[in-house]
Amino acid sequence: MSAAAQIGDLSFVHQGAGLPALDHVSLMVPAGESTALLGPSGAGKTTLLALLDGRLRGWRGRVSVLGAPLDPDHPPSRASRPDIGFVFQEFALVERSSVLRNVLNGRLGRMSPLRAALGSPLPRDLEVARAALADCGIADLAERRVDSLSGGQRQRVAIARCLAQEPRLILADEPVSNLDPARAAEILTLLTGAARARGATVLFSSHQPDLARRFADRIVGMRDGRIAFDVAVGDLSDVATADLYRETTALPAIGLRAVT
Amino acid sequence: MRSRGFGGFAAGALVAGAVLWSFATTDVDLSRLLSAGPRIADFLGRMVPPDPTVMNEIVKGSAETLRIAILGSLGAVLLSVPLGILASETMVSPALYRPVRTLLAFIRAIPLILVAMLMVGAVGLGPLPGIIAIAFHATGMLAKFYAEAIDGVSRAPIAALESAGAAPLAQLRYAIWPQMAPVVARDTIFRFELNLRESLILGIVGAGGIGFYIQTYVRSFQYEKAASVTLAVIAMVIAIEGINVALRRRFA
Ligand SMILES: Nc1ncnc2c1ncn2[C@@H]1O[C@H](COP(=O)(O)OP(=O)(O)OP(=O)(O)O)[C@@H](O)[C@H]1O
Ligand SMILES: [Mg+2]
């Protein structure tokens, strides 16, 4: 089984933060599959995904994505970036631009810098963008401005932009956390379906174990910056899931100090 | 609460003191003050009926005022783009934007009419000192607005385009500019309206435009003509306001 991402003994502390957001993480993300990153708030899911996207500096450990090692001190080359697609937790769309324009923005890294700056997409760029819109079920919204859309529609635009990029690895940060259960299932169906159809790997984070079970082949549990478990979907036990989301029992340091 | 009550008392005493000081030291005796009303009425009476024969001067003066406002605004935009970038928290370091912001506040603090008088002294009578004065004065506000437009841009869409491999120019065009454009357009139009309004009176200090005729006619006791020009100025201010309201609606 080949790896879309290989992580060895990875640690990272956010600037100004005391505790590490990632604490000696080792993980292999198998290529061509869907992996869910499960864990409570603050577990380090967003941090891990952003790091794999090449957006964080100053970490320690070994990370390679799509066969190429990441450099902890320098951003990845621009040419390598379109291969990794990212669906942002808060969408990160250009609100005042049209849906089609936002989806075409996903193509910018595939165009020559001159063509991208001039804003003249090739027929192929338009074709890929239109196909992504259709796959996300929003072909009829192409000309609408994003600031006129609902949360679920925006989520679809964010995914369509990512698909238009033609990534080989899709990192999706809580792609359904803003949606009701029915809409959430629809979105994950189209995300994992579109990825499978394109032979792309998906790594998505989620708070919802039931959705992870339904849509992932593999489930990774994270808590306090550490990997709690890493299992095939059939091997996930309810006990492990419940333990992942257990309440914090340790007293906060400030409380202890007050006693002594 | 106590300190607030004391603060209120102190503020009241300060205002009362300021008013008393003004009365005591200004050279206006009561009789002149009482006769001021009738004198103003008499003055206004001599302005009616307005003299319509100055239409030519009104058109000429208005056209020059418009030109001063347009060229002055253009100058302000050209100055405000670099200064706006230099005053932006997100583009440059505090060591740079802090002094630039102080400079802009300083520029804003100087009244336009003062700048215009200085410029008339520096480059002579005519529209040129008016244009320079407007450009200088408006930059204090416009560059600050541009800096705020830059700093108001949300970072997330820029990061998203960068993550997709978009080059910096493409990020500027498709993530930064679409967010800034409506703000920049609105602020620029707003400032142009102020420039047009303020340049109506620049002629009074010899810096060109329609104000020149008001000053000339008042000084030569041709009050009917001064009245016509004044009415034209009022009509233009109202027209500018109307256009502004219409534009606001478009940009809402
Ligand atoms: N920019 C930052 N600066 C400082 N600390 C940060 C920053 N971003 C995240 N952290 C901290 O790093 C830890 C992990 O955060 P992260 O956002 O990765 O968690 P998450 O699993 O994505 O949580 P959620 O489910 O709420 O999105 C948290 O303790 C958080 O407070
Ligand atoms: Mg997160």
Side-chain angles (χ1 to χ4, degrees):
Chain A
M1 190 163 44
S2 74
Q6 186 81 53
I7 299 163
D9 200 23
L10 169 65
S11 293
F12 177 74
V13 187
H14 280 285
Q15 204 138 52
L19 293 172
L22 299 172
D23 192 3
H24 300 283
V25 168
S26 294
L27 182 67
M28 198 272 275
V29 180
E33 290 188 7
S34 290
T35 302
L37 207 50
L38 213 54
S41 244
K45 306 182 294 294
T46 298
T47 304
L48 180 60
L49 291 172
L51 197 146
L52 291 176
D53 194 33
R55 279 186 276 126
L56 299 183
R57 305 274 78 82
W59 42 268
R60 281 176 296 111
R62 298 173 309 279
V63 179
S64 68
V65 180
L66 298 173
L70 286 187
D71 184 331
D73 303 317
H74 298 97
S77 76
R78 221 163 47 70
S80 71
R81 305 207 67 163
D83 281 340
I84 304 162
F86 204 94
V87 181
F88 290 79
Q89 195 165 354
E90 308 293 344
F91 313 138
L93 298 167
V94 184
E95 291 284 314
R96 292 183 60 94
S97 298
S98 73
V99 167
L100 179 61
R101 183 62 254 170
N102 269 281
V103 174
L104 276 172
N105 285 349
R107 297 293 303 163
L108 291 173
R110 298 276 181 206
M111 302 177 189
S112 75
L114 183 66
R115 185 172 291 285
L118 290 178
S120 46
L122 292 169
R124 158 130 177 87
D125 296 314
L126 277 168
E127 189 185 306
V128 173
R130 297 257 179 220
L133 284 171
D135 281 356
C136 295
I138 48 171
D140 53 328
L141 297 182
E143 304 305 326
R144 283 268 292 276
R145 253 167 63 159
V146 167
D147 54 11
S148 74
L149 302 182
S150 74
Q153 291 169 328
R154 278 165 206 237
Q155 187 69 72
R156 286 168 188 262
V157 179
I159 293 173
R161 175 176 66 186
C162 174
L163 293 178
Q165 199 177 314
E166 301 186 291
R168 288 161 56 208
L169 169 63
I170 296 174
L171 305 169
D173 195 7
E174 300 193 26
V176 296
S177 62
N178 301 294
L179 307 177
D180 65 76
R183 233 58 51 196
E186 276 173 34
I187 293 285
L188 282 177
T189 305
L190 76 87
L191 178 64
T192 51
R196 195 168 303 120
R198 290 163 169 78
T201 307
V202 178
L203 176 61
F204 71 95
S205 68
S206 176
H207 282 293
Q208 291 152 277
D210 51 321
L211 286 175
R213 273 212 174 93
R214 238 177 100 188
F215 290 99
D217 305 304
R218 206 167 177 83
I219 302 192
V220 175
M222 265 188 100
R223 191 183 162 104
D224 298 333
R226 285 186 283 266
I227 303 293
F229 56 78
D230 175 6
V231 295
V233 67
D235 300 336
L236 181 64
S237 77
D238 291 338
V239 179
T241 313
D243 188 52
L244 191 67
Y245 284 95
R246 74 183 182 277
E247 283 175 32
T248 310
T249 48
L251 280 173
I254 194 127
L256 287 173
R257 199 168 302 138
V259 173
T260 51
Chain B
M1 280 296 45
R2 260 188 70 88
S3 71
R4 193 169 155 198
F6 175 74
F9 175 76
L14 202 67
V15 171
V19 171
L20 285 176
W21 171 76
S22 306
F23 261 119
T25 56
T26 303
D27 190 20
V28 279
D29 55 57
L30 206 59
S31 62
R32 271 193 77 189
L33 190 67
L34 288 176
S35 65
R39 277 159 169 270
I40 291 172
D42 177 54
F43 177 81
L44 290 178
R46 273 181 279 156
M47 291 178 97
V48 264
D51 184 347
T53 60
V54 291
M55 209 54 212
N56 268 340
E57 280 76 7
I58 289 178
V59 171
K60 227 174 97 193
S62 309
E64 188 166 89
T65 292
L66 189 63
R67 285 199 298 272
I68 292 173
I70 289 174
L71 293 177
S73 300
L74 177 68
V77 168
L78 293 178
L79 288 171
S80 294
V81 169
L83 281 171
I85 292 171
L86 294 179
S88 145
E89 291 176 7
T90 48
M91 303 284 280
V92 300
S93 73
L96 193 50
Y97 76 71
R98 289 225 180 91
V100 172
R101 285 182 172 201
T102 307
L103 173 74
L104 294 177
F106 182 72
I107 292 175
R108 283 196 301 278
I110 310 173
L112 173 65
I113 205 80
L114 186 62
V115 183
M117 285 170 74
L118 292 174
M119 285 303 131
V120 169
V123 303
L125 297 171
L128 182 62
I131 293 168
I132 298 174
I134 289 276
F136 177 80
H137 179 73
T139 296
M141 182 193 280
L142 202 56
K144 178 173 181 260
F145 282 177
Y146 285 0
E148 283 166 2
I150 294 170
D151 293 340
V153 166
S154 143
R155 308 299 305 170
I158 306 169
L161 260 62
E162 191 181 5
S163 161
L169 261 181
Q171 293 171 33
L172 178 70
R173 167 141 190 204
Y174 290 111
I176 301 175
W177 183 243
Q179 296 187 62
M180 277 181 64
V183 182
V184 166
R186 193 194 58 208
D187 291 347
T188 307
I189 289 169
F190 172 69
R191 189 56 240 188
F192 174 69
E193 184 217 330
L194 286 183
N195 289 349
L196 191 52
R197 200 185 280 227
E198 293 182 347
S199 58
L200 289 170
I201 51 130
L202 280 181
I204 291 172
V205 296
I210 195 167
F212 169 74
Y213 294 101
I214 299 183
Q215 179 231 31
T216 310
Y217 292 141
V218 170
R219 289 218 173 137
S220 56
F221 309 109
Q222 295 174 286
Y223 295 121
E224 297 87 353
K225 290 182 177 175
S228 303
V229 181
T230 307
L231 285 177
V233 167
I234 293 172
M236 278 186 279
V237 169
I238 293 173
I240 295 166
E241 191 63 43
I243 294 168
N244 187 38
V245 168
L247 283 172
R248 287 253 167 87
R249 238 175 248 140
R250 277 210 52 156
F251 280 95

